[in-house]
Amino acid sequence: MAMPIGRLRWAIAEGYIPEWSTGPKPEFTSHETACMLNASDQEAHVSITIFFSDREPIGPYLINLPPRRTVHLRFNELRDPIVPRGKDYSSVIESDVPIVVQHTRLDSRQNANAVLTTIAFAADQ
Amino acid sequence: MAMPIGRLRWAIAEGYIPEWSTGPKPEFTSHETACMLNASDQEAHVSITIFFSDREPIGPYLINLPPRRTVHLRFNELRDPIVPRGKDYSSVIESDVPIVVQHTRLDSRQNANAVLTTIAFAADQ
Amino acid sequence: MAMPIGRLRWAIAEGYIPEWSTGPKPEFTSHETACMLNASDQEAHVSITIFFSDREPIGPYLINLPPRRTVHLRFNELRDPIVPRGKDYSSVIESDVPIVVQHTRLDSRQNANAVLTTIAFAADQ
Amino acid sequence: MAMPIGRLRWAIAEGYIPEWSTGPKPEFTSHETACMLNASDQEAHVSITIFFSDREPIGPYLINLPPRRTVHLRFNELRDPIVPRGKDYSSVIESDVPIVVQHTRLDSRQNANAVLTTIAFAADQ
């Protein structure tokens, strides 16, 4: 792709990992996802910071996005430290190569799963 | 964070607090939320104005967002006056420091909860 | 409000009015809504054009938005002509005063209602 | 329409076609859709590239959007090759005429269908 698509800095103001799930795993495990696309021909070095309502931010979590690849990152799977369940949070995602970020949640606490999505907020360069 | 992320003026055109709920409280109380992230190092002074279809706007409601914190504000919890249930409304959110705003609703009027979200409309500076 | 918020031209690429509904009316009637906020101090004259996959566009439908008011317009309620049910469509919304537009659907064809929302696409001025 | 609305390059970072469905077909077949609006008076030549987490991109898929028409394209229906089910993907959509793109998914794996939508990410021109 001649011209990369995306921005360097993104924010997701909504964040909440439900505390429980129903249905077969892992498809129906309640989760919160940052879908990140690196459509460029260079590896992207991504850092994620998590903000809370009542404590200092944690992170940055460092993730490499290979060229021409997407990573659908579940916040559930972040480690050292883990993201607490049942707590409000927000995230800021920064990259050294333009990427596109979309936020999705599957909430399977009830028999019928619920889903939501939005393109994240893209900061001006 | 060296460079704050966000904008000073935001709008959410959709607004509706369902009149009833099912399921355990408070997680499954029907609610409408403005998730606000202040990733900067300064306190943000936020004012929220609520618009209706058939009467003059109410507010502004004044909220302080501490530095490096997120507030997931439920419109249900605004007081003096409260936001009426079962009525269409819109909101405009203004801050003196750049913030990011995302709109979410949990509708639990039926056995299966439904959720929706979108990044709010960010005005140009 | 000193400075109006919004844009003059908006588009919603998704459009689909489900053909049936379940649950109490009118809250649970399946519907597709354009939530429009006029936060300015002037009346907005809005025109809506509906595009299809297999025929020429219809409209424009003309709607007045009073100053400092929101209108949550259900596409179901447009008349002369009505918007056909069970058909894919898109819409373009144009105003002479800056407004904010958000798209929402309630789909109640099944026992559990489903909802979706997004801020519409705002054209550059 | 005097002035076309939209952009030339769009991205959807989220993509996932559920592996099964419940309910009457085709309305309730689980699907992932790119709703594309060409409000201009010229045919748009659109090319779609699909990105994965673990292999090189596929495409471009070539689609013509007639003037003043919308196409709600189901990724399920792309052929040569098909888009694999149950796999994370992202898409980039490029056009030679300004278009508007919105992403929608119907997930009917459970008795209650779930829906999500967002306007796609619009690249600056």
Side-chain angles (χ1 to χ4, degrees):
Chain A
M1 181 164 294
M3 194 170 44
I5 188 167
R7 301 275 181 87
L8 300 179
R9 301 177 75 229
W10 295 83
I12 303 168
E14 226 273 343
Y16 183 84
I17 303 175
E19 289 181 275
W20 76 91
S21 305
T22 62
K25 298 181 181 179
E27 294 93 331
F28 287 101
T29 302
S30 289
H31 59 266
E32 183 101 353
T33 303
C35 299
M36 301 182 288
L37 169 63
N38 175 12
S40 81
D41 290 325
Q42 294 160 49
E43 186 170 62
H45 303 93
V46 174
S47 81
I48 301 177
T49 305
I50 309 282
F51 294 79
F52 299 97
S53 62
D54 57 0
R55 68 188 83 173
E56 286 293 311
I58 58 174
Y61 298 92
L62 303 178
I63 288 137
N64 290 343
L65 285 192
R68 301 177 303 280
R69 292 292 184 277
T70 181
V71 170
H72 292 205
L73 180 79
R74 292 185 177 202
F75 288 97
N76 312 29
E77 295 175 356
L78 292 174
R79 291 287 176 275
D80 302 316
I82 67 163
V83 179
R85 272 56 178 165
K87 290 277 184 190
D88 294 335
Y89 67 89
S90 297
S91 51
V92 170
I93 298 172
E94 298 173 288
S95 172
D96 58 354
V97 166
I99 62 173
V100 179
V101 178
Q102 187 168 347
H103 168 230
T104 303
R105 188 200 297 160
L106 172 74
D107 183 337
S108 65
R109 289 175 294 182
Q110 298 180 317
N111 283 329
N113 57 320
V115 290
L116 54 77
T117 199
T118 185
I119 293 288
F121 172 74
D124 302 320
Q125 302 298 13
Chain B
M1 182 165 295
M3 194 168 45
I5 188 166
R7 301 276 180 87
L8 299 181
R9 301 176 75 229
W10 295 82
I12 302 168
E14 225 272 342
Y16 183 83
I17 303 176
E19 289 180 277
W20 76 91
S21 305
T22 61
K25 296 181 183 179
E27 294 94 330
F28 288 101
T29 303
S30 287
H31 59 266
E32 183 101 353
T33 304
C35 299
M36 301 181 288
L37 168 63
N38 175 12
S40 82
D41 290 323
Q42 294 160 49
E43 186 170 61
H45 304 92
V46 173
S47 81
I48 301 177
T49 306
I50 309 280
F51 294 79
F52 299 98
S53 61
D54 57 0
R55 69 189 82 174
E56 286 294 309
I58 58 174
Y61 298 92
L62 303 178
I63 289 138
N64 290 343
L65 285 191
R68 300 178 303 279
R69 292 292 185 279
T70 182
V71 170
H72 292 204
L73 180 79
R74 292 184 178 204
F75 288 97
N76 312 29
E77 295 174 356
L78 292 174
R79 292 287 176 276
D80 302 315
I82 67 162
V83 179
R85 272 57 178 163
K87 289 277 184 191
D88 294 336
Y89 67 88
S90 296
S91 51
V92 170
I93 297 172
E94 298 173 288
S95 172
D96 58 353
V97 166
I99 62 173
V100 178
V101 178
Q102 187 168 347
H103 168 230
T104 302
R105 188 200 297 160
L106 172 74
D107 183 336
S108 64
R109 290 175 294 181
Q110 297 181 317
N111 283 329
N113 58 319
V115 290
L116 55 75
T117 198
T118 185
I119 292 288
F121 173 74
D124 301 321
Q125 300 298 12
Chain C
M1 182 164 296
M3 192 169 47
I5 188 166
R7 301 276 180 86
L8 299 181
R9 302 177 75 230
W10 296 82
I12 302 168
E14 226 273 341
Y16 183 85
I17 304 176
E19 288 180 277
W20 76 92
S21 305
T22 61
K25 298 180 181 180
E27 294 94 330
F28 288 102
T29 302
S30 287
H31 59 266
E32 183 101 352
T33 304
C35 300
M36 301 181 288
L37 168 64
N38 176 11
S40 82
D41 289 324
Q42 295 160 50
E43 186 170 62
H45 303 93
V46 174
S47 82
I48 302 178
T49 305
I50 310 281
F51 294 79
F52 299 97
S53 61
D54 57 0
R55 69 189 83 174
E56 285 295 309
I58 59 174
Y61 298 92
L62 303 178
I63 289 137
N64 291 343
L65 286 191
R68 300 177 302 282
R69 292 292 185 278
T70 182
V71 170
H72 292 203
L73 179 79
R74 291 186 179 203
F75 288 97
N76 311 29
E77 294 173 357
L78 292 174
R79 291 286 176 275
D80 302 314
I82 66 162
V83 179
R85 273 55 178 165
K87 289 278 184 191
D88 293 335
Y89 67 90
S90 296
S91 51
V92 170
I93 298 172
E94 298 174 287
S95 172
D96 58 353
V97 166
I99 62 173
V100 178
V101 179
Q102 187 168 347
H103 168 231
T104 302
R105 188 200 296 159
L106 172 74
D107 183 336
S108 65
R109 290 174 295 181
Q110 299 181 317
N111 283 329
N113 58 320
V115 291
L116 55 76
T117 198
T118 185
I119 293 288
F121 173 73
D124 301 320
Q125 301 297 14
Chain D
M1 181 164 294
M3 194 170 45
I5 188 167
R7 302 276 180 87
L8 299 180
R9 301 176 76 229
W10 295 82
I12 303 168
E14 226 273 341
Y16 183 85
I17 303 175
E19 289 180 277
W20 76 91
S21 305
T22 62
K25 300 180 182 182
E27 294 94 330
F28 288 102
T29 302
S30 288
H31 59 267
E32 182 101 352
T33 304
C35 299
M36 301 182 288
L37 168 63
N38 176 11
S40 81
D41 290 324
Q42 295 161 50
E43 186 170 63
H45 303 93
V46 174
S47 81
I48 302 177
T49 305
I50 309 281
F51 294 79
F52 298 98
S53 62
D54 57 359
R55 69 189 82 173
E56 286 294 309
I58 59 175
Y61 298 92
L62 303 178
I63 289 137
N64 290 344
L65 286 192
R68 301 177 303 282
R69 292 292 185 278
T70 182
V71 171
H72 292 204
L73 179 79
R74 292 186 178 202
F75 288 98
N76 312 29
E77 294 173 357
L78 292 174
R79 291 287 175 276
D80 301 316
I82 68 163
V83 179
R85 273 54 178 164
K87 289 277 184 189
D88 294 334
Y89 66 89
S90 296
S91 50
V92 170
I93 298 171
E94 298 174 288
S95 172
D96 58 353
V97 166
I99 62 173
V100 179
V101 179
Q102 187 168 346
H103 168 229
T104 303
R105 187 200 299 160
L106 172 73
D107 183 337
S108 66
R109 290 176 294 181
Q110 299 181 318
N111 282 328
N113 58 320
V115 290
L116 55 78
T117 199
T118 185
I119 292 288
F121 173 75
D124 302 320
Q125 302 297 13

